[in-house]
């Protein structure tokens, strides 16, 4: 698959484009492991929901699947801040992997970090593996997700999650709007879904969960966010505020 690649830079930030003005990824050059784009930060909010970095346990997630490499932002963050995690990235376009290596400081492949070239949907359907955290951020040059936004794909994702598994998906730019996507995820995950309020950029991040129910009071979420920021620099405080303001945390407790 041939994907046209363009690189731009502005105010210390390097951007990835797929032959259009759409931003497909970004890296602050002085902070290559930080998450520059708001939606990528929110896709890591699973660290607040499960026991791991946010409470210094550092044990979750142990196996991470990332579908869609882009500028390697999610891959680099997990690789750098979750040393206990084994990471598999699935990317359909070799040119995207090459650009991430050349321009975005993609980590070298080793025993805990590897890249599979191919279709993310096909990989999930065919590989009988279990994952703690699945991050889905796959788009073409026209911001279309294709097979990565179908009910069979979301059902397959759920079947691949471990007993403490979480899925996070970026729903920006779906052709029929994100609400149809959320409905598919709700069906696949038996309503155990949380869709964050839209970011300023228009991205909507949705989480699907399996295993033990998640119940986190807002005060606990804020404390965990402070710990996570101290450990990694990732600031999810604004996300928690937006969740509260949108009415997504009834009774002051997040349920998932």
């Amino acid at each position: 698959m041939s994907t046209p690649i363009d690189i731009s830079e502005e105010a210390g930030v390097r951007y990835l484009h797929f032959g259009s003005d759409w931003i497909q990824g970004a890296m602050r050059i002085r902070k290559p492991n930080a998450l520059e784009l708001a939606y990528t930060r929110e896709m890591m909010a699973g660290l607040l929901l499960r026991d791991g970095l946010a409470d210094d346990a550092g044990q979750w997630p142990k196996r991470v699947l990332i579908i869609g490499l882009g500028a390697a932002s999610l891959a680099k963050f997990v690789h750098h801040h979750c040393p206990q995690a084994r990471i598999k990235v699935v990317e359909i376009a070799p040119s995207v992997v090459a650009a991430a290596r050349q321009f975005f400081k993609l980590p070298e492949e080793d025993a805990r970090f590897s890249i599979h070239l191919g279709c993310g949907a096909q990989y999930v359907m065919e590989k009988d593996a279990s994952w703690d955290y699945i991050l889905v951020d796959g788009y073409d040059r026209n911001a279309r997700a294709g097979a990565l936004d179908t009910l069979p794909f979301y059902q397959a994702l759920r079947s691949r999650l471990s007993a403490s598994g979480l899925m996070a998906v970026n729903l920006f730019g779906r052709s029929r709007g994100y609400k149809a996507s959320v409905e598919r995820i709700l069906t696949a995950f038996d309503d155990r879904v949380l869709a964050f309020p839209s970011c300023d950029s228009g991205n909507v991040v949705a989480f699907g969960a399996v295993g033990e129910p998640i119940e986190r009071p807002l005060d606990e979420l804020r404390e965990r966010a402070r710990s996570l920021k101290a450990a990694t620099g990732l600031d999810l405080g604004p996300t928690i505020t937006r969740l509260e303001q949108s009415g997504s945390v009834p009774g002051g407790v997040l349920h998932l």
Side-chain angles (χ1 to χ4, degrees):
M1 178 180 177
S2 178
T3 298
I5 300 293
D6 295 313
I7 307 295
S8 66
E9 289 186 16
E10 183 177 348
V13 179
R14 183 173 294 159
Y15 296 97
L16 174 69
H17 311 268
F18 293 166
S20 72
D21 289 336
W22 292 105
I23 293 173
Q24 301 286 352
M27 177 186 75
R28 186 162 296 277
I29 295 170
R30 293 182 63 183
K31 297 181 178 180
N33 294 313
L35 294 170
E36 181 65 21
L37 300 180
Y39 87 87
T40 60
R41 296 194 290 272
E42 297 201 341
M43 289 187 73
M44 293 310 304
L47 296 174
L48 298 181
L49 304 177
R50 291 295 190 198
D51 293 335
L53 289 178
D55 58 2
D56 297 325
Q59 296 303 305
W60 188 97
K62 289 186 177 179
R63 288 177 55 81
V64 179
L65 175 64
I66 301 173
I67 298 177
L69 177 64
S73 300
L74 294 169
K76 288 185 298 181
F77 182 89
V78 176
H79 186 266
H80 187 71
H81 292 294
C82 303
Q84 81 284 357
R86 287 179 174 265
I87 307 153
K88 173 73 74 175
V89 176
V90 181
E91 170 56 52
I92 198 168
S95 57
V96 173
V97 178
R101 285 199 178 107
Q102 183 175 355
F103 298 106
F104 294 98
K105 299 186 183 298
L106 180 69
E108 294 293 328
E109 293 186 66
D110 57 22
R112 59 177 291 257
F113 179 76
S114 60
I115 297 171
H116 173 83
L117 281 172
C119 170
Q122 184 176 356
Y123 183 90
V124 171
M125 301 281 190
E126 295 179 354
K127 299 291 184 181
D128 187 16
S130 177
W131 308 93
D132 297 327
Y133 206 5
I134 300 178
L135 303 163
V136 184
D137 186 23
Y139 290 98
D140 65 14
R141 63 184 298 184
N142 298 308
R144 293 179 302 206
L148 301 183
D149 186 26
T150 63
L151 179 58
F153 174 64
Y154 292 131
Q155 290 171 326
L157 285 181
R158 182 186 176 186
S159 74
R160 298 291 182 254
L161 286 171
S162 68
S164 60
L166 286 177
M167 175 207 72
V169 56
N170 172 28
L171 298 177
F172 176 69
R174 300 289 159 89
S175 59
R176 288 180 290 178
Y178 77 91
K179 290 184 179 179
S181 302
V182 172
E183 286 299 321
R184 287 187 280 275
I185 299 170
L186 283 165
T187 299
F189 281 81
D190 293 336
D191 294 339
R192 287 195 62 187
V193 174
L194 174 66
F196 285 12
S198 177
C199 304
D200 292 341
S201 60
N203 298 72
V204 174
V205 174
F207 280 84
V210 300
E212 287 294 317
I214 296 169
E215 296 184 357
R216 300 286 190 192
L218 278 170
D219 288 347
E220 181 184 347
L221 283 174
R222 291 194 181 95
E223 179 58 37
R224 292 167 70 85
R226 284 191 286 270
S227 297
L228 186 63
K229 183 179 179 181
T232 70
L234 174 60
D235 185 6
L236 289 172
T239 297
I240 296 171
T241 298
R242 285 172 47 243
L243 281 171
E244 182 179 21
Q245 292 174 344
S246 71
S248 301
V249 192
V253 179
L254 185 150
H255 296 274
L256 181 59

